[in-house]
């Protein structure tokens, strides 16, 4: 059968361009949505609490030098902000297309599902990166207030690692959101994993099984805090601890920087690919 | 431009052991409107979803303009406009933004987008709302924007799943006019509907489906002659009771009347063949009889009769 002749309209754009189109409109939707505002407020509240605690309590150990400051402030909060961003922007990115029926508007067009997936991922990444950049700026502003412009290089490393962690978190959240057709379930499941379950699995594996939890996302994310320690912790530490009359040796694993980056990137690649595969196969019914 | 076409080859969709669509073979080609009829759960929406790659068939293939919908989606859907199952636009976007998104995906040149969007929004009478966020729109308002989106980029094929659901009476009639206008511009329109009046008004052909199986695909007039028992029916209201014998002697013998029966003293039911032309001539013959005709209106259309004959049960 003959191919349809080209119309007077320009040809359908390439898949990368369509991904960029998806990004533009999804980002517009994110920026206007209430959840962007809510996340921004949560992040500002966390910043305000930290600012207040440092300004009025002046914790001595945290203010001995710039590294301790960044380690305390950023080490306590950076991965949490990333996990929240992942839940907010990725938690129902794909499931909402089914539940809110927006997929019926966009997908019966000459556009591949992969373009929509990649485009939405990029939009979520940009929105979450904005939150992360604002949080970084507030952190540095406080650091500058106490120590002047001597921001330790380790902090920039840590900020970069946190952003790599964001890639992994969004990959994971997109995978979860591709597994459900209900936005509420997918947000709930990614929240449970990113806020509790990964840490729980990590400590169970480490403490009870005594093996290195290299396959757990939260384990890899520790490079964000570790790199801010005065000296990077040893890979394996054995700590004797008293349980009543017994002495038990606990084995503690600390993820190395290279190892952590590899795990985070592997999470990003594997979960993104798996999520896309699920989305491609999912039916609108 | 080549003829727009749509083809199902052995198309099936099974859910477990249930056949939602089974071995559907159907080829539509050329500029026309084809009504897609069938009871609830017959498989109409399922078929249209397969044609837009929203779901995958468990057997067979769907082609639009010669391209396989699943394996060459971009080519197949390049010139297709759809409204399937009341879609939603991202709620914070306005109709203008939602439609620009569609224009961008379809490759409508940037310089033409604004004009084209305003044109289609005007066609569905949503001009006043073009820059308001769609999230708070009523169901019918959303459906109007959806119909506008299907018109973007001058599609050669339109797939519409009950396009007038949720619209007010004027909206329905406006959509019918839009569809009729499209037909004249080398468009193939495939439209599911439960409104037989709507279908006989705008469509040239019908495909009827039941339990996932195609029952008939033909022109409306062929379907009507083949399957409706006596063609069209009109109900005639009289100002006074009919005199004895008039019904049998005079009314029943008017040309093209196949049967005439008395419903009560002042109401007759006349079945006839020959469509609108004979509907008109019968009325003038009745007037000549001077039996006091005060009303004359179609009761069951031939299409409805055929539908009821072909589809005996629902579900
Ligand atoms: N996900 C699913 N799982 C099982 N059965 C399904 C699924 N989706 C649809 N069906 C069944 O497929 C059949 C066809 O449904 P479809 O929506 O195509 O009907 P329809 O002709 O559009 O009906 P209506 O006129 O009510 O819109 C129905 O019996 C429905 O129950
Ligand atoms: Mg339906």
């Amino acid at each position: 059968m003959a191919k349809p002749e080209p119309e007077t309209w320009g040809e359908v754009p390439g898949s990368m361009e369509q991904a960029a189109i998806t990004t533009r409109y999804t980002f517009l939707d994110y920026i206007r949505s209430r959840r962007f505002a809510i996340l921004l407020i949560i992040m500002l509240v966390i910043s305000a609490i930290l600012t207040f605690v440092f300004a009025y309590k002046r914790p001595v150990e945290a203010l001995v030098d710039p590294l301790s400051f960044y380690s305390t402030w950023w080490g306590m909060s950076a991965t949490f902000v990333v996990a929240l961003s992942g839940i907010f922007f990725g938690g129902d990115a794909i499931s909402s297309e089914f539940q809110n029926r927006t997929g019926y508007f966009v997908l019966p067009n000459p556009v591949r599902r992969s373009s929509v997936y990649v485009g939405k991922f990029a939009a979520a990444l940009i929105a979450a990166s904005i939150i992360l950049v604002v949080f970084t700026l507030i952190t540095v502003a406080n650091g500058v207030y106490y120590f002047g412009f001597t921001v330790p290089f380790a902090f920039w490393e840590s900020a970069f690692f946190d952003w790599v962690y964001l890639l992994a978190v969004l990959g994971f959240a997109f995978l979860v959101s591709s597994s459900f057709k209900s936005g509420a379930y997918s947000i709930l499941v990614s929240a449970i994993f990113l806020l509790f379950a990964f840490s729980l699995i990590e400590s169970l594996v480490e403490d009870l099984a005594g093996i290195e939890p290299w396959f757990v996302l939260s384990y890899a994310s520790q490079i964000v805090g570790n790199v801010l320690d005065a000296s990077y912790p040893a890979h394996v530490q054995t700590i004797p601890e008293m349980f009543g009359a017994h002495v038990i040796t606990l084995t503690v694993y600390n993820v190395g920087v290279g190892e952590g980056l590899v795990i985070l990137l592997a999470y990003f690649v594997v979960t993104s690919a798996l999520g896309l595969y699920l989305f491609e196969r999912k039916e609108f019914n | 431009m080549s003829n727009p076409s749509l083809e199902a080859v052995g198309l099936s969709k099974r859910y477990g052991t249930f056949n939602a669509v089974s071995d559907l073979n159907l080829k539509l080609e050329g500029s026309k409107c084809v009504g897609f009829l069938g009871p609830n759960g017959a498989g109409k929406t399922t078929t249209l979803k397969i044609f837009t790659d929203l779901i995958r068939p468990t057997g067979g293939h769907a082609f639009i303009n010669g391209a396989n919908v699943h394996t060459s989606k971009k080519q197949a859907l390049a010139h297709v406009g759809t409204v399937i199952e009341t879609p939603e636009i991202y709620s914070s976007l306005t109709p203008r933004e939602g439609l620009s998104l569609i224009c961008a995906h379809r490759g409508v040149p940037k310089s033409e987008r604004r004009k084209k969007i305003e044109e289609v929004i005007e066609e569905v009478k949503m001009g006043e709302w073009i820059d308001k966020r769609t999230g708070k729109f009523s169901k019918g308002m959303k459906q109007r924007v959806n119909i506008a989106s299907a018109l973007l980029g001058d599609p050669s094929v339109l797939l519409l799943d009950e396009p007038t659901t949720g619209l007010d009476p004027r909206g329905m009639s406006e959509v019918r006019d839009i569809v009729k206008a499209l037909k004249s511009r080398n468009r193939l329109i495939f439209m599911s509907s439960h409104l037989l009046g709507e279908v006989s008004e705008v469509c040239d052909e019908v495909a009827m489906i039941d339990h996932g199986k195609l029952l008939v695909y033909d022109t409306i007039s062929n379907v009507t002659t083949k399957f409706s028992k006596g063609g069209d029916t009109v109900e005639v209201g009289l100002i006074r009771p009919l005199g004895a014998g008039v019904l049998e002697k005079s009314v029943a013998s008017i040309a093209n009347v196949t049967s005439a029966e008395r419903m009560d003293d002042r109401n007759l039911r006349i079945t006839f063949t020959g469509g609108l032309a004979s509907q008109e001539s019968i009325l003038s013959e009745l007037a000549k009889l001077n039996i006091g005709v005060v009303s004359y209106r179609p009761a069951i259309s031939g299409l409805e009769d055929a539908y009821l004959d072909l589809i005996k049960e629902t579900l």
Side-chain angles (χ1 to χ4, degrees):
Chain A
M1 192 184 292
K3 253 184 75 178
E5 253 139 61
E7 309 256 344
T8 47
W9 303 101
E11 274 305 309
V12 174
S15 293
M16 282 312 290
E17 194 183 334
Q18 287 181 323
I21 292 163
T22 307
T23 302
R24 196 173 326 135
Y25 287 89
T26 312
F27 181 68
L28 187 63
D29 185 47
Y30 276 153
I31 284 293
R32 285 181 185 168
S33 68
R34 201 173 306 152
R35 74 176 64 176
F36 185 81
I38 292 174
L39 186 56
L40 200 61
I41 290 168
I42 292 178
M43 187 271 290
L44 291 174
V45 167
I46 294 172
S47 306
I49 292 172
L50 285 169
T51 306
F52 178 85
V53 169
F54 274 76
Y56 290 93
K57 297 288 172 198
R58 301 269 165 171
V60 182
E61 336 76 68
L63 289 174
V64 287
D65 58 20
L67 198 61
S68 313
F69 166 80
Y70 285 105
S71 171
T72 312
W73 176 300
W74 181 262
M76 282 191 332
S77 51
T79 53
F80 181 65
V81 168
V82 163
L84 280 188
S85 304
I87 296 162
F88 270 62
F89 296 125
D92 67 346
I94 300 301
S95 53
S96 66
E97 295 287 338
F98 293 84
Q99 180 169 344
N100 300 342
R101 317 174 63 77
T102 47
Y104 288 92
F105 185 71
V106 175
L107 288 174
N109 279 289
V111 53
R112 286 188 220 289
R113 290 193 185 192
S114 52
S115 299
V116 172
Y117 192 88
V118 170
K120 293 201 86 169
F121 191 95
L125 182 61
I126 294 170
S129 298
I130 291 176
I131 301 280
L132 194 56
V133 164
V134 175
F135 186 63
T136 308
L137 290 178
I138 295 174
T139 306
V140 172
N142 275 274
V144 167
Y145 174 76
Y146 293 106
F147 298 103
F149 287 92
T150 49
V151 181
F153 177 70
F155 173 71
W156 299 118
E157 276 184 296
S158 175
F160 172 69
F161 295 164
D162 205 28
W163 190 77
V164 176
Y165 177 51
L166 173 62
L167 288 178
V169 162
L170 278 177
F172 179 78
F174 267 65
L175 168 60
V176 173
S177 79
S178 298
S179 316
F180 290 88
K181 280 183 180 168
S182 146
Y185 278 125
S186 63
I187 288 185
L188 192 66
V189 170
S190 48
I192 287 173
F193 268 93
L194 291 168
L195 298 179
F196 317 108
F198 273 130
S199 322
L200 186 67
I201 296 168
E202 183 192 335
S203 44
L204 286 179
V205 168
E206 194 167 339
D207 298 348
L208 296 184
I211 55 172
E212 183 186 1
W214 56 269
F215 46 86
V216 183
L217 183 55
S218 58
Y219 176 67
S221 76
Q222 286 168 9
I223 57 171
V224 174
N226 286 354
V227 75
L228 290 169
D229 284 1
S231 58
Y232 201 92
H235 185 50
V236 186
Q237 292 170 310
T238 43
I239 304 169
E241 221 167 273
M242 297 291 294
F243 274 94
H246 306 275
V247 176
I248 293 177
T249 1
L250 284 180
T251 311
V252 175
Y253 288 94
N254 292 296
V255 65
V257 167
E259 183 193 13
L261 281 175
V262 168
I263 298 171
L264 291 180
L265 289 173
Y267 253 92
F268 164 58
V269 171
V270 172
T271 54
S272 300
L274 210 56
L276 176 58
Y277 174 77
L278 290 181
F279 180 46
E280 294 267 15
R281 295 190 56 82
K282 220 169 178 68
E283 304 207 314
F284 281 80
N285 53 25
Chain B
M1 202 167 82
S2 62
N3 259 352
S5 72
L6 199 107
E7 188 175 11
V9 179
L11 207 59
S12 304
K13 180 67 184 175
R14 218 175 29 247
Y15 290 109
T17 56
F18 178 79
N19 288 308
V21 173
S22 87
D23 194 27
L24 182 73
N25 290 290
L26 180 64
K27 180 162 189 179
L28 315 179
E29 191 167 14
S31 175
K32 58 191 165 196
C33 177
V34 181
F36 197 21
L37 304 180
N40 294 129
K44 304 180 294 296
T45 303
T46 304
T47 305
L48 291 172
K49 279 181 181 172
I50 293 173
F51 268 105
T52 43
D53 198 39
L54 287 170
I55 61 179
R56 283 182 315 268
T58 44
H61 302 279
F63 300 92
I64 297 180
N65 291 333
N68 186 307
V69 168
H70 186 60
T71 56
S72 323
K73 179 182 175 187
K74 285 180 79 167
Q75 191 194 339
L77 295 183
H79 306 288
V80 182
T82 61
V83 178
I84 293 172
E85 291 241 79
T86 57
E88 296 273 340
I89 301 178
Y90 294 132
S91 60
S92 74
L93 300 190
T94 65
R96 191 193 295 281
E97 291 159 348
L99 297 189
S100 328
L101 167 63
I102 301 298
C103 280
H105 277 323
R106 296 176 155 276
V108 177
K110 273 208 175 77
S111 54
E112 296 169 30
R113 281 182 204 167
R114 190 187 175 88
K115 185 171 145 276
K116 189 72 198 169
I117 289 169
E118 286 173 1
E119 229 169 77
V120 295
I121 278 291
E122 232 15 89
E123 268 200 85
V124 296
K125 307 286 189 300
M126 287 291 290
E128 203 184 317
W129 302 90
I130 191 165
D131 291 315
K132 304 273 194 316
R133 296 189 181 184
T134 53
K136 299 240 154 50
F137 283 9
S138 75
K139 193 173 152 207
M141 290 161 76
K142 287 178 180 168
Q143 189 70 347
R144 283 170 188 250
V145 179
N146 290 331
I147 289 165
S149 83
L151 306 175
L152 290 169
D154 261 350
S156 63
V157 174
L158 277 118
L159 299 174
L160 307 173
D161 190 21
E162 300 185 40
T164 56
T165 40
L167 298 187
D168 56 49
R170 179 174 293 278
M172 288 191 186
S173 124
E174 282 161 5
V175 168
R176 284 198 282 273
D177 290 342
I178 292 173
V179 174
K180 279 193 270 184
L182 282 169
K183 251 192 336 192
S184 59
R185 289 187 272 157
N186 199 24
R187 299 286 181 276
L188 174 60
I189 302 152
F190 192 35
M191 178 178 95
S192 87
S193 177
H194 291 298
L195 305 173
L196 299 178
E198 175 175 287
V199 170
S200 30
E201 187 185 338
V202 303
C203 295
D204 314 286
E205 302 177 343
V206 285
M208 278 192 211
I209 181 176
D210 192 12
H211 291 98
K213 291 200 175 70
L214 186 69
L215 299 180
V216 63
Y217 166 56
D218 210 332
T219 61
I220 292 190
S221 57
N222 280 349
V223 170
T224 309
T225 11
K226 247 185 274 172
F227 296 101
S228 92
K229 276 165 264 114
D232 297 325
T233 306
V234 286
E235 284 175 11
V236 183
L238 305 171
I239 198 165
R240 53 180 180 268
L242 206 57
V246 179
L247 185 69
E248 296 75 17
K249 272 207 297 275
S250 314
V251 178
S253 58
I254 296 175
N256 293 324
V257 170
T258 48
S259 77
E261 56 187 307
R262 191 191 309 262
M263 293 162 70
D264 56 48
D265 261 4
R266 292 175 195 194
N267 283 293
L268 312 179
R269 178 183 278 246
I270 298 176
T271 309
F272 62 93
T273 55
L276 284 175
S278 55
Q279 185 173 330
E280 191 248 336
S281 64
I282 291 167
L283 175 59
S284 65
E285 288 303 315
L286 283 175
K288 281 184 208 153
L289 290 177
N290 249 324
I291 50 174
V293 175
V294 288
S295 72
Y296 183 81
R297 57 189 174 84
I300 302 178
S301 70
L303 184 58
E304 189 174 353
D305 202 7
Y307 179 97
L308 294 175
D309 187 58
L310 276 162
I311 291 159
K312 295 288 187 231
E313 62 209 32
T314 292
L315 298 176

